Amino acid sequence: MRVRLRFTKTGKIRWTSHRDVARVWERVIRRVGLPVAYSQGFSPHPKLHFGLALSTGHESVAEFIDIDLDDDSPALPSPDELDALPLRISAALPIGLEVTGCAVIPSNTTSLQQAVESCEWDIEIRNVAPDAVEAAVARVVAADDLTITRQRKGKDVTDDVRPYVLALAVVGSTDAGTLVHAHLATQPRGLRVSELLALLDPAWEEGLVRRTAQWTLIDGARHEPLPGPVEPTSTSHATVRAS
């Protein structure tokens, strides 16, 4: 049995690295008594499958983990126990990590690393007024191409990342500056939040950054990684759509 969980990473724990969060999950799964399956070989490890890594310092309300359970274990959760699993696990997690969804998925489901095609973000830009950010957003959205130079296998490579900017909008002001909502593609290489900010203005500094959604494509339709489609979070924003 493979179970997919959706969870948050907010508050001070955002400064915990992706690798350390993975270790937290291993300990918590043991603590709550989930009969996780283990790999074979000389160094067996629990079969946990994480989605796209979240940069240290960024928050998220849309993180995912797939857990393979031992089908032969007498401790395998019943349907009723699966319904209670989010609360059961959340109670054992550190503050800021909270399970918000749970579902059984086929064991041959495409990995989250491969399946996620795009992510949505709320990005705070510090000490910059909304009018200035609006102008930069309009420039980026209107651009035919957006080239950046990145390191790939030790060499500088120039990429046109314009196709990765799926949507971009100024949401409004915050106590620290201006909030932007972005929908960025993740395949084949994607666009990082830091790279988007550099395209807007290299001198600008990010404040609080939060991943608000991850999306897969199934038969041309956008779906949240747990079963069933959901509405994009950007529908609540006056979004400037990228053509």
Side-chain angles (χ1 to χ4, degrees):
M1 178 190 293
R2 177 172 290 183
V3 175
R4 175 167 292 175
L5 305 178
R6 181 178 61 244
F7 66 96
T8 67
K9 184 184 181 185
T10 59
K12 292 181 179 179
I13 203 165
R14 71 183 185 275
W15 299 110
T16 303
S17 70
H18 179 76
R19 181 173 295 181
D20 286 340
V21 168
R23 294 192 183 102
V24 168
W25 272 102
E26 290 182 13
R27 292 195 298 268
V28 166
I29 287 170
R30 289 196 299 268
R31 189 178 305 159
V32 301
L34 273 183
V36 64
Y38 279 78
S39 63
Q40 302 297 314
F42 291 105
S43 181
H45 59 273
K47 292 186 176 181
L48 309 180
H49 315 280
F50 289 89
L52 301 176
L54 185 69
S55 295
T56 303
H58 290 179
E59 291 191 337
S60 178
V61 293
E63 296 304 285
F64 298 90
I65 179 175
D66 293 346
I67 304 172
D68 288 346
L69 300 180
D70 183 355
D71 292 328
D72 297 325
S73 171
L76 195 69
S78 67
D80 288 342
E81 289 172 329
L82 282 174
D83 290 341
L85 200 55
L87 286 176
R88 179 182 167 194
I89 295 178
S90 293
L93 286 167
I95 294 174
L97 296 179
E98 181 181 359
V99 178
T100 59
C102 173
V104 176
I105 61 173
S107 58
N108 62 351
T109 299
T110 302
S111 72
L112 291 161
Q113 295 274 353
Q114 295 177 303
V116 172
E117 298 280 342
S118 63
C119 295
E120 294 191 52
W121 302 88
D122 282 339
I123 307 164
E124 184 182 55
I125 301 173
R126 290 185 179 275
N127 303 316
V128 183
D131 288 349
V133 180
E134 285 274 12
V137 165
R139 173 179 52 79
V140 166
V141 170
D144 292 328
D145 56 76
L146 297 165
T147 58
I148 64 173
T149 300
R150 304 192 260 203
Q151 282 277 320
R152 192 176 305 160
K153 295 182 179 179
K155 298 181 180 179
D156 287 340
V157 177
T158 299
D159 292 325
D160 177 15
V161 297
R162 179 61 186 84
Y164 301 150
V165 183
L166 305 179
L168 193 58
V170 173
V171 178
S173 61
T174 70
D175 292 341
T178 299
L179 184 66
V180 170
H181 189 79
H183 187 185
L184 306 178
T186 61
Q187 302 287 355
R189 288 184 58 82
L191 183 66
R192 298 184 182 93
V193 169
S194 59
E195 293 170 335
L196 173 65
L197 196 61
L199 287 169
L200 292 170
D201 191 313
W204 287 354
E205 177 187 358
E206 72 177 41
L208 185 65
V209 176
R210 173 176 287 187
R211 180 149 60 190
T212 59
Q214 298 190 47
W215 298 103
T216 64
L217 286 179
I218 302 175
D219 297 329
R222 190 176 295 152
H223 290 256
E224 199 254 358
L226 285 179
V230 298
E231 290 298 318
T233 57
S234 58
T235 55
S236 61
H237 303 283
T239 304
V240 179
R241 286 290 168 186
S243 59

